[in-house]
Amino acid sequence: MKAQDGVYIDGAWRPAKGPDLIDVVNPADEQVIARVSAGTAEDVDAAVRAARAALPGWAATPPAVRAERLVALRDGLLARKDEIAETVTAELGSPLAFSQAVHASVPIAVAGTFAELAATHAFEEKVGNSTVLHEPVGVVAAITPWNYPLHQIVAKVAPALAAGCTVVLKPAEDTPLTAQLFAEAVHEAGVPAGVFNLVTGLGPVAGQALAEHPDVDLVSFTGSTAVGMRIGALAGGAVKRVALELGGKSANVILPSADLARAVNVGVANVMSNSGQTCSAWTRMLVHTAQYDEAVELARTAAAKYGDRIGPLVNAGQRERVRGYIDQGVAEGARLVAGGGESPHEKGYFVSPTVFADVTEDMTIAQEEIFGPVLSIIRYEDEDDALRIANGTVYGLAGAVWAGDEAEAVAFARRMDTGQVDINGGRFNPLAPFGGYKQSGVGRELGSHGLAEYLQTKSFQF
Ligand code: NAD
């Protein structure tokens, strides 16, 4: 697989300061497909300096011109759509059709939304006797995970550039090749040198150096709650802005009036998609006791259909983690009705689509994020019981409600402690704010709310 040599700083690829390389492994066959530089604290420092030096010029660039560069970036990504999909498939392992339809297409659409927002946002407004300016927050450290490699990057870098910020990106070590393709597209889009910089590397080395760099104004992090807490503490200690998109354990609440078969089938597809490596996946399905057995049977059948269509998990460690949760589910008394820890293939980090019934809310598999293709079906007695269970984790990222009547579903969804809820299978909206309640995070991404994270206000009184 094609890989760039070095890191992208101040508009050019240059050798990293240290000799270390990171192996990029195809999780479907366990072969090393490329090697990329493991950036050091010195590389991070050089990237932050470049971003700082480029900030005044980019911040002063008219929003309409920034919008033009974002249109060019969107077009550049579009031109590379097939290469992006193939690269994501090679380093993340997701089936090519899913890489094309989701991993490549969604971020291209998102880049387009920020091009439009850059052109249309009111960067200056009148409030009574004041003029309020919306100014860029400054140098942004963007730290991203591997699960949606390009989406996570675009969801940070595109609004940052639209706002007039400059960026240093540290992508996940498992998926650096997609990040390199993104950097090439930024370069070709004519974004000035230093406005965007890429340092590949290890989280505890390059990521940590970036998060604690004194010349970074905002750390925007997506990843695990454990690392997010550390980054939040670091940022708090330095009175630095921070945005955290963390884990989830979302509830799919099926009310008795719902179309049960549809709700279960869409719910299973939601969990199995991307091999369960989706922070907003509805990994807890809540079903009324009267419909419980029927729902379990429907879920079992639906999961079986995914058998060999599902991709692997991203790496061996992640597979072992997921297997550990499956073993724990069995040990704590949940009933395995589909899948299990065994791999359906000889090579690769695969885990079969797995469904647990008779899961109770106190079990580990009902409380902790598994990040694999594992669904837990939980029984509830009445609506209040369902609400208590739905809200009964430390997370609050997403969720779903199904009911015969939309208003009934909405009434339930209003009481959920979570950042977004899909009503009767509502579609993804790239302009709707995305982010968590509780330990799922701080801040919002996408659309105008996502843009606002990269702006700060200054008021003039007259
Ligand atoms: P992770 O926290 O291990 O890594 C995320 C990023 O942080 C990577 O780039 C990594 O290199 C870096 N990192 C690791 N240690 C660091 C440190 N000490 N300092 C600075 N950076 C460091 O998470 P992961 O395993 O890559 O991703 C899975 C997690 O991400 C799941 O918990 C998932 O729910 C979460 N996630 C959340 C969202 C969301 O929008 N809320 C989206 C996707 C993934």
Coordinates of all heavy atoms in Angstrom, one line a residue, residues 143-147 152 170-173 201-204 207-208 211 221-225 227 230-231 245-248 279 318 369 371 397 434 440 445, ligand 1:
I143 N -7.0 15.0 17.6 CA -6.6 13.7 17.9 C -7.7 12.7 17.6 O -8.8 12.9 18.2 CB -6.1 13.5 19.4 CG1 -5.0 14.6 19.6 CG2 -5.6 12.1 19.7 CD1 -4.5 14.6 21.1
T144 N -7.5 11.8 16.7 CA -8.7 11.0 16.2 C -8.5 9.5 16.3 O -7.3 9.0 16.3 CB -8.9 11.4 14.7 OG1 -7.7 11.1 13.9 CG2 -9.3 12.8 14.5
P145 N -9.6 8.8 16.4 CA -9.5 7.3 16.5 C -9.6 6.7 15.1 O -9.8 7.3 14.1 CB -10.8 7.0 17.3 CG -11.8 8.0 16.8 CD -11.0 9.2 16.5
W146 N -9.6 5.3 15.1 CA -9.5 4.6 13.8 C -10.8 4.1 13.3 O -10.9 3.6 12.2 CB -8.6 3.3 14.0 CG -8.9 2.7 15.4 CD1 -8.2 2.8 16.5 CD2 -10.0 1.8 15.7 NE1 -8.8 2.1 17.5 CE2 -9.9 1.5 17.0 CE3 -11.1 1.3 14.9 CZ2 -10.8 0.6 17.7 CZ3 -12.0 0.4 15.6 CH2 -11.9 0.1 16.9
N147 N -11.9 4.2 14.1 CA -13.1 3.5 13.7 C -13.8 4.0 12.4 O -14.4 3.3 11.7 CB -14.1 3.4 14.9 CG -14.6 4.7 15.3 OD1 -14.0 5.8 15.1 ND2 -15.7 4.7 16.0
Q152 N -13.7 11.0 11.1 CA -13.3 11.6 12.4 C -12.4 12.8 12.1 O -12.4 13.8 12.8 CB -12.6 10.6 13.3 CG -13.4 9.3 13.6 CD -14.6 9.6 14.5 OE1 -14.9 10.7 14.8 NE2 -15.2 8.5 14.9
K170 N -3.2 14.4 14.8 CA -2.5 13.2 15.2 C -3.6 12.1 15.0 O -4.4 11.9 15.9 CB -2.0 13.3 16.6 CG -0.8 12.4 17.0 CD -1.0 10.9 16.7 CE -1.8 10.2 17.8 NZ -2.1 8.8 17.4
P171 N -3.5 11.3 13.9 CA -4.5 10.3 13.7 C -4.2 9.0 14.5 O -3.1 8.9 15.0 CB -4.4 10.1 12.2 CG -3.0 10.3 11.9 CD -2.5 11.4 12.8
A172 N -5.1 8.1 14.5 CA -4.9 6.8 15.2 C -3.8 6.0 14.5 O -3.6 6.1 13.3 CB -6.2 6.0 15.2
E173 N -3.0 5.3 15.3 CA -1.9 4.5 14.8 C -2.3 3.4 13.9 O -1.6 3.0 13.0 CB -0.9 4.0 15.9 CG -1.5 3.6 17.2 CD -1.8 4.8 18.2 OE1 -2.8 5.5 17.9 OE2 -1.1 5.1 19.1
G201 N 1.8 9.0 14.7 CA 2.6 8.5 15.8 C 1.8 7.9 16.9 O 0.5 7.7 16.7
L202 N 2.4 7.5 17.9 CA 1.8 6.7 19.0 C 1.0 7.7 19.9 O 1.5 8.8 20.2 CB 2.8 6.0 19.8 CG 3.6 4.9 19.0 CD1 4.7 4.3 19.9 CD2 2.7 3.8 18.5
G203 N -0.1 7.3 20.5 CA -0.9 8.1 21.4 C -0.1 8.6 22.6 O 0.0 9.9 22.8
P204 N 0.5 7.7 23.3 CA 1.2 8.2 24.5 C 2.5 9.1 24.2 O 3.0 9.7 25.1 CB 1.6 6.9 25.3 CG 0.7 5.9 24.7 CD 0.5 6.3 23.3
G207 N 0.6 11.9 20.6 CA -0.7 12.4 21.0 C -0.5 13.2 22.3 O -1.1 14.3 22.4
Q208 N 0.2 12.6 23.3 CA 0.3 13.3 24.6 C 1.1 14.6 24.4 O 0.7 15.6 25.0 CB 1.1 12.3 25.5 CG 1.5 12.9 26.8 CD 0.7 12.3 28.0 OE1 0.0 11.3 27.8 NE2 0.8 12.9 29.1
A211 N -1.3 17.1 23.0 CA -2.4 17.5 24.0 C -1.8 18.5 25.0 O -2.5 19.4 25.5 CB -3.0 16.3 24.6
F221 N -10.6 16.0 20.8 CA -10.2 14.6 20.9 C -11.4 13.7 20.7 O -12.5 14.0 21.2 CB -9.6 14.4 22.3 CG -9.4 12.9 22.6 CD1 -8.3 12.2 22.2 CD2 -10.4 12.2 23.3 CE1 -8.1 10.9 22.5 CE2 -10.2 10.8 23.6 CZ -9.1 10.2 23.2
T222 N -11.3 12.7 19.9 CA -12.3 11.6 19.8 C -11.6 10.3 20.1 O -10.5 10.0 19.5 CB -12.9 11.6 18.4 OG1 -13.6 12.8 18.2 CG2 -14.0 10.5 18.3
G223 N -12.2 9.6 21.0 CA -11.5 8.3 21.4 C -12.2 7.8 22.7 O -13.3 8.1 23.0
S224 N -11.4 7.0 23.4 CA -11.9 6.3 24.6 C -12.1 7.3 25.7 O -11.4 8.3 25.8 CB -10.9 5.2 25.0 OG -9.7 5.8 25.3
T225 N -13.0 7.0 26.6 CA -13.3 7.8 27.8 C -12.1 7.9 28.7 O -11.8 9.0 29.2 CB -14.5 7.3 28.5 OG1 -15.6 7.3 27.6 CG2 -14.9 8.1 29.7
V227 N -8.8 7.8 27.9 CA -7.8 8.8 27.4 C -8.4 10.2 27.4 O -7.8 11.2 27.8 CB -7.3 8.5 26.0 CG1 -6.4 9.5 25.4 CG2 -6.6 7.1 26.0
R230 N -8.0 12.0 30.7 CA -6.6 12.5 30.9 C -6.5 13.8 30.1 O -5.9 14.7 30.6 CB -5.6 11.5 30.4 CG -5.6 10.2 31.2 CD -4.5 9.3 30.8 NE -3.2 10.0 30.6 CZ -2.1 9.4 30.5 NH1 -2.0 8.1 30.5 NH2 -1.0 10.1 30.4
I231 N -7.0 13.8 28.9 CA -6.8 15.0 28.1 C -7.6 16.1 28.7 O -7.1 17.3 28.7 CB -7.2 14.7 26.6 CG1 -6.1 13.8 26.0 CG2 -7.4 15.9 25.8 CD1 -6.2 13.4 24.6
E245 N -15.1 13.8 22.3 CA -16.1 12.8 21.8 C -15.7 11.5 22.2 O -14.7 10.9 21.7 CB -16.2 12.9 20.3 CG -16.6 14.3 19.7 CD -18.1 14.5 19.9 OE1 -18.8 13.6 20.1 OE2 -18.5 15.7 19.7
L246 N -16.4 10.9 23.2 CA -15.9 9.7 23.9 C -16.8 8.5 23.6 O -17.4 8.4 22.6 CB -15.8 10.0 25.3 CG -14.9 11.2 25.7 CD1 -14.9 11.5 27.1 CD2 -13.5 11.2 25.0
G247 N -16.8 7.6 24.5 CA -17.5 6.3 24.3 C -19.0 6.4 24.4 O -19.6 7.4 24.7
G248 N -19.7 5.2 24.2 CA -21.1 5.2 24.3 C -21.6 3.8 24.6 O -20.9 2.8 24.5
C279 N -19.1 4.3 18.0 CA -19.4 4.8 19.3 C -20.8 5.0 19.6 O -21.3 4.9 20.7 CB -18.6 6.1 19.5 SG -18.9 7.3 18.2
Q318 N -8.0 -5.5 20.1 CA -9.4 -5.2 20.2 C -10.2 -6.5 20.1 O -11.2 -6.7 20.8 CB -9.7 -4.3 19.0 CG -11.0 -3.5 19.1 CD -11.0 -2.5 20.2 OE1 -10.0 -2.1 20.7 NE2 -12.2 -2.1 20.6
E369 N -18.7 -0.2 27.4 CA -18.7 -0.2 25.9 C -17.8 -1.4 25.4 O -16.7 -1.5 25.9 CB -18.1 1.1 25.5 CG -18.0 1.2 24.0 CD -17.4 2.6 23.5 OE1 -16.2 2.8 23.9 OE2 -18.0 3.3 22.8
F371 N -17.4 -2.2 21.9 CA -16.8 -1.9 20.6 C -16.5 -3.1 19.8 O -15.4 -3.2 19.2 CB -15.5 -1.0 20.9 CG -15.5 0.3 20.1 CD1 -16.6 1.1 20.2 CD2 -14.5 0.6 19.3 CE1 -16.6 2.3 19.5 CE2 -14.5 1.8 18.5 CZ -15.5 2.6 18.6
L397 N -24.5 9.0 24.6 CA -24.1 9.5 23.3 C -25.2 9.5 22.3 O -25.5 10.5 21.5 CB -22.9 8.7 22.7 CG -22.3 9.2 21.4 CD1 -21.9 10.7 21.6 CD2 -21.1 8.4 21.0
F434 N -23.7 16.5 16.9 CA -23.3 15.1 17.3 C -22.4 15.2 18.5 O -21.4 15.9 18.5 CB -22.6 14.4 16.2 CG -22.3 13.0 16.5 CD1 -23.1 11.9 16.1 CD2 -21.1 12.6 17.2 CE1 -22.8 10.6 16.4 CE2 -20.8 11.3 17.5 CZ -21.7 10.3 17.1
S440 N -20.0 10.6 27.9 CA -19.8 10.5 26.4 C -19.1 11.7 25.8 O -18.8 11.7 24.7 CB -21.1 10.2 25.7 OG -21.5 8.8 26.0
E445 N -20.0 18.1 17.5 CA -19.4 18.1 16.2 C -20.5 18.2 15.1 O -21.7 18.0 15.4 CB -18.5 16.9 15.9 CG -17.3 16.9 16.8 CD -16.2 15.9 16.4 OE1 -16.5 14.8 16.0 OE2 -15.0 16.3 16.4
Ligands
NAD1 P1 -8.1 5.7 22.1 O1 -8.5 6.7 23.1 O2 -7.2 4.7 22.5 O3 -7.3 6.5 20.9 C1 -7.9 7.7 20.3 C2 -6.7 8.6 19.8 O4 -6.1 9.1 21.0 C3 -5.7 7.9 19.0 O5 -5.2 8.8 18.0 C4 -4.6 7.6 20.0 O6 -3.3 7.5 19.4 C5 -4.7 8.8 20.9 N1 -4.1 8.6 22.2 C6 -4.0 7.5 22.9 N2 -3.4 7.7 24.1 C7 -3.2 9.1 24.2 C8 -2.6 9.9 25.2 N3 -2.2 9.5 26.3 N4 -2.6 11.2 24.9 C9 -3.0 11.7 23.7 N5 -3.5 11.0 22.7 C10 -3.6 9.6 23.0 O7 -9.4 5.2 21.4 P2 -9.5 4.2 20.2 O8 -9.3 2.8 20.8 O9 -8.6 4.6 19.1 O10 -11.0 4.4 19.8 C11 -12.1 3.7 20.3 C12 -12.8 4.6 21.3 O11 -13.2 5.9 20.7 C13 -14.1 4.0 21.8 O12 -14.2 4.2 23.2 C14 -15.2 4.9 21.1 O13 -16.4 4.9 21.7 C15 -14.5 6.2 21.0 N6 -15.1 6.9 19.9 C16 -16.0 8.0 20.2 C17 -16.6 8.7 19.2 C18 -17.5 9.8 19.5 O14 -17.8 10.6 18.6 N7 -18.0 10.0 20.7 C19 -16.3 8.4 17.9 C20 -15.5 7.3 17.6 C21 -14.9 6.6 18.6

